[in-house]
C-alpha cells in the first residue's frame, strides 16, 4: 500500500453558461458551473511520499491527544458562531426536466417551514455530495460532470466551498478545487477537514479507491492533503470531529469473507459479491491527524456475519450531557439460509477506540437492506428506513430502554433519510421514473414516546419539478434545543 501526498492537478475550463455532459466514452475537458473559477491543487512534494504507514493497537496515537483519555470526538465544546441566524435550510441536489424531457442536474434550497424554494437558490449543477460544516456555516458541494449523480472513475469533480443566505438562497463562492471523483455516499466533515472515499488511479490500491483528506482550514485556499490507497472499498464511513485539534477519527464499514467458522458456511459459498451469505462485517479505523500528514489506517474490529446492507451514522449525544457515539445496525443471516435476514440489532460504539457502549437495541424488520441513519439529538431519537421489504420510517428512542418507537408507512422504497432540526422534520426523498416525492414527517412526542406525523399540502410544498436525490441539512453546532 502506498500513501501519496497532495499533487498537482490541472485546471478545467469553467464558464457560467450551463452544464455540459460529455458523450459516452469521450473524455470531457470542460465542466460548466456558475460558482466561479476553479483553483489548482498545490504542487506535490515528492520528498514527503510515505510507504506502508500503518497504525497498530486498540487506541489512536500521535498528535491528537488520545493518550490523555479525553474524548476526541465531542462536538459539544466547539465554539459556534453567535451570528448564525436561528433558521433552517434544506439543500436539494436532484434532477429537473428540460423542454425536451431530458433530465439535468439541479442544486437548490428550500425553507423547511413550508417547503418553498428559496428565491435565488437554483443552480444547474450535477452534485452527488452535499455536506454542511455546522461550526462555520459553510456548505461543501462536490460537482461532477458525469451522466448521473453516481460518479465513475472517469468523471471530473470540483469541490465548492460556499455560504448560503438562508432567506434569499444566494450562494457565495469561497473557494474551489479539483479533486478525485467521489464514491457516492461516502464522505464526512471533520474539524477543518473533509474526508471521502474517491476513485484515484494515481494511488496504488487493490480496490481502485482511496481515502482522500482535504484541508478546509481556509475555505478560500482548499487543498488536498493526501490520498491513502484502500485494499477494500468501504460500504460506509462514519467521520467525527476532533475537539482537541484538526481532523478526528473515522470508522469505515467493510465487507470481508467470513472465516470458515463464521456461522454462514465457507467464504467460498458466497456468490453475492459481499451482500449476504458468507460475508462478515468489520470496522477499519482511520486517524485523520491534526498535522498535514496522511490519514493512517489503524486497528480493525470484526463484527461478524451480516445480511444485506448495514445502517450507520454519528450521533452527537444529548446536548450538554451525552457523548458522541457511532451507531451501526445490521441483520444476521438466517442459519442455513444466508440469503434471508434474521435478527437485527442496533449497536453503539465509542468513535475513538470503537469500544461497545451500552446494550444493543433489538429491532424487528423483514428488510436487512438499510439506509444510513439520521438522528435527532434534542429528541434523542435514531431515525431509520430500509430499502424494499419494509417501507416504514422509524423513530427509535435512545434515552430509554422502555421507550416505544414510532413509525410511519411510506408508499415507496427507502432511498435515504434526513432530519431537519429547526422544524423537527424527518425527510424521506424518492426518485424512480416519474414517481418522485420529498416526503416529510414531523417528529414530536417525547424522548421515550416519539411521534411521526406526515406533513402534506398546504403545510408542505416542495418544488414540484425537482426530483430529490441528495439532501444537505443546515445543523449549526453546538446543538441547542428549544426550551
Amino acid at each position: 500500500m502506498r500513501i501519496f501526498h497532495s499533487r498537482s492537478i490541472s485546471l478545467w475550463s469553467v464558464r457560467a453558461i450551463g452544464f455540459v455532459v460529455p458523450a459516452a466514452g469521450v473524455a470531457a475537458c470542460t465542466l460548466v458551473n456558475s460558482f466561479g473559477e476553479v483553483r489548482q491543487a498545490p504542487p506535490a512534494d515528492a520528498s514527503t511520499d510515505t510507504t506502508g504507514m500503518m497504525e497498530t493497537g486498540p487506541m489512536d496515537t500521535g498528535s491528537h491527544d488520545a493518550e490523555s483519555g479525553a474524548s476526541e470526538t465531542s462536538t459539544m465544546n466547539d465554539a459556534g458562531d453567535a451570528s448564525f441566524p436561528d433558521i433552517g435550510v434544506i439543500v436539494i441536489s436532484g434532477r429537473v426536466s428540460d423542454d425536451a424531457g431530458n433530465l439535468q442536474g439541479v442544486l437548490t434550497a428550500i425553507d423547511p417551514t413550508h417547503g418553498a424554494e428559496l428565491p435565488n437558490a437554483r443552480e444547474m449543477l450535477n452534485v452527488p455530495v452535499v455536506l454542511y460544516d455546522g461550526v462555520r456555516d459553510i456548505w461543501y458541494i462536490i460537482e461532477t460532470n458525469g451522466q448521473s449523480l453516481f460518479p465513475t472513475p472517469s468523471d471530473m469533480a470540483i469541490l465548492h466551498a460556499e455560504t448560503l443566505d438562508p432567506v434569499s438562497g444566494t450562494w457565495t463562492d469561497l473557494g474551489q478545487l479539483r479533486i478525485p471523483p467521489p464514491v457516492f455516499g461516502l464522505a464526512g466533515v471533520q474539524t477543518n477537514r473533509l474526508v471521502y472515499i474517491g476513485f484515484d488511479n494515481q494511488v496504488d490500491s487493490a480496490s481502485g479507491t482511496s481515502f482522500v483528506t482535504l484541508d478546509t482550514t481556509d475555505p478560500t485556499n482548499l487543498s488536498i492533503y493526501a490520498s491513502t490507497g484502500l485494499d477494500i472499498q468501504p460500504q460506509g464511513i462514519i467521520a467525527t470531529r476532533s475537539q482537541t485539534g484538526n481532523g478526528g477519527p473515522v470508522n469505515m464499514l467493510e465487507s470481508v469473507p467470513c472465516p470458515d467458522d463464521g456461522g454462514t458456511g465457507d467464504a467460498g459459498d458466497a456468490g453475492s459479491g459481499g451482500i449476504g451469505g458468507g460475508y462478515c462485517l468489520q470496522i477499519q479505523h482511520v486517524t485523520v491527524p491534526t498535522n498535514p500528514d496522511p490519514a493512517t489506517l489503524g486497528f480493525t474490529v470484526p463484527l461478524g456475519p451480516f445480511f444485506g446492507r448495514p445502517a450507520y451514522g454519528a450521533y452527537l449525544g444529548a446536548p450538554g450531557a451525552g457523548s458522541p457515539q457511532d451507531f451501526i445496525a445490521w441483520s444476521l443471516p438466517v442459519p442455513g439460509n444466508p440469503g434471508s435476514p434474521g435478527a437485527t440489532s442496533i449497536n453503539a460504539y465509542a468513535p475513538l477506540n470503537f469500544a461497545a457502549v451500552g446494550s444493543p437495541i433489538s429491532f424487528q424488520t423483514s428488510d436487512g437492506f438499510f439506509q444510513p441513519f439520521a438522528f435527532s439529538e434534542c429528541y434523542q431519537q435514531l431515525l431509520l428506513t430500509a430499502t424494499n421489504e419494509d417501507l416504514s420510517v422509524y423513530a427509535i428512542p435512545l434515552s430509554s430502554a422502555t421507550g416505544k418507537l414510532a413509525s410511519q408507512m411510506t408508499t415507496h422504497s427507502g432511498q435515504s433519510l434526513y432530519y431537519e432540526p429547526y422544524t423537527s422534520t424527518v425527510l424521506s426523498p424518492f426518485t424512480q421514473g416519474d414517481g418522485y416525492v420529498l416526503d416529510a414527517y414531523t417528529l414530536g412526542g417525547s424522548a421515550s414516546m416519539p411521534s411521526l406525523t406526515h406533513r402534506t399540502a398546504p403545510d408542505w410544498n416542495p418544488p414540484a419539478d425537482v426530483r430529490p436525490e441528495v439532501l444537505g441539512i443546515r445543523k449549526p453546532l453546538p446543538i441547542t434545543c428549544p426550551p
Side-chain angles (χ1 to χ4, degrees), residues 233-256:
Q233 179 178 316
Q235 294 197 347
I237 69 170
I238 310 174
T240 44
R241 178 187 298 275
S242 172
Q243 74 168 26
T244 59
N246 297 324
V250 176
N251 290 305
M252 303 191 301
L253 286 69
E254 297 178 340
S255 174
V256 296

Side-chain angles (χ1 to χ4, degrees), residues 330-385:
W330 69 93
S331 297
L332 294 174
V334 173
N337 185 16
S340 299
T344 299
S345 63
I346 301 169
N347 304 267
Y349 302 91
L352 187 60
N353 61 7
F354 212 73
V357 177
S359 300
I361 301 172
S362 296
F363 180 71
Q364 299 296 320
T365 179
S366 58
D367 194 331
F369 288 83
F370 302 114
Q371 299 296 347
F373 292 126
F375 297 95
S376 168
E377 279 77 15
C378 289
Y379 277 94
Q380 300 175 51
Q381 299 294 309
L382 178 150
L383 304 164
L384 176 64
T385 193

Side-chain angles (χ1 to χ4, degrees), residues 114-473:
H114 42 63
E117 189 170 14
L118 301 183
N120 303 318
R122 186 169 294 206
E123 302 279 356
M124 300 310 295
L125 300 173
N126 194 67
V127 175
V129 177
V130 179
L131 296 172
Y132 178 71
D133 184 340
V135 172
R136 298 189 292 173
D137 198 23
I138 294 174
W139 296 88
Y140 298 111
I141 308 295
I142 298 181
E143 175 194 7
T144 64
N145 69 336
Q147 296 184 346
S148 79
L149 285 184
F150 292 88
T152 69
S154 62
D155 287 352
M156 291 188 285
I158 290 177
L159 170 66
H160 301 266
E162 304 283 330
T163 60
L164 175 65
D165 186 299
V167 177
S168 70
T170 300
W171 295 95
T172 301
D173 175 76
L174 302 177
Q176 300 185 12
L177 179 69
R178 180 172 168 185
I179 60 174
V183 177
F184 186 83
L186 302 180
V189 174
Q190 297 182 306
T191 304
N192 294 325
R193 302 289 183 267
L194 188 152
V195 296
Y196 72 98
I197 307 304
F199 298 109
D200 196 345
N201 58 16
Q202 298 189 47
V203 173
D204 181 14
S205 67
S207 69
T209 62
S210 62
F211 185 94
V212 183
T213 305
L214 305 178
D215 183 5
T216 61
T217 305
D218 179 359
T220 69
N221 189 33
L222 303 166
S223 64
I224 301 174
Y225 261 13
S227 292
T228 304
L230 299 176
D231 291 336
I232 301 170
Q233 179 178 316
Q235 294 197 347
I237 69 170
I238 310 174
T240 44
R241 178 187 298 275
S242 172
Q243 74 168 26
T244 59
N246 297 324
V250 176
N251 290 305
M252 303 191 301
L253 286 69
E254 297 178 340
S255 174
V256 296
C258 290
D260 289 352
D261 60 352
T264 59
D266 293 346
D269 294 339
S272 55
I275 301 295
Y279 279 78
C280 283
L281 187 64
Q282 75 172 17
I283 296 301
Q284 170 69 71
H285 188 74
V286 184
T287 299
V288 179
T290 62
N291 52 27
D293 286 334
T296 55
L297 305 182
F299 58 85
T300 60
V301 179
L303 298 180
F306 76 104
F307 169 88
R309 181 173 60 232
Y312 57 90
Y315 175 63
L316 301 183
S323 297
Q325 297 172 3
D326 287 358
F327 274 87
I328 302 176
W330 69 93
S331 297
L332 294 174
V334 173
N337 185 16
S340 299
T344 299
S345 63
I346 301 169
N347 304 267
Y349 302 91
L352 187 60
N353 61 7
F354 212 73
V357 177
S359 300
I361 301 172
S362 296
F363 180 71
Q364 299 296 320
T365 179
S366 58
D367 194 331
F369 288 83
F370 302 114
Q371 299 296 347
F373 292 126
F375 297 95
S376 168
E377 279 77 15
C378 289
Y379 277 94
Q380 300 175 51
Q381 299 294 309
L382 178 150
L383 304 164
L384 176 64
T385 193
T387 303
N388 285 317
E389 299 301 323
D390 186 342
L391 303 185
S392 294
V393 170
Y394 293 93
I396 302 171
L398 295 175
S399 61
S400 172
T402 60
K404 183 178 180 180
L405 64 78
S407 66
Q408 271 280 353
M409 177 71 74
T410 72
T411 59
H412 54 77
S413 299
Q415 177 176 300
S416 55
L417 202 63
Y418 303 85
Y419 178 72
E420 197 287 306
Y422 180 68
T423 58
S424 192
T425 297
V426 181
L427 297 149
S428 176
F430 176 74
T431 57
Q432 183 172 315
D434 292 331
Y436 58 94
V437 67
L438 181 55
D439 274 333
Y441 304 89
T442 298
L443 175 64
S446 65
S448 60
M449 296 287 288
S451 63
L452 289 168
T453 305
H454 195 198
R455 295 181 61 182
T456 57
D459 172 63
W460 181 246
N461 289 289
D465 64 328
V466 176
R467 304 165 185 255
E469 296 278 2
V470 176
L471 304 187
I473 307 298

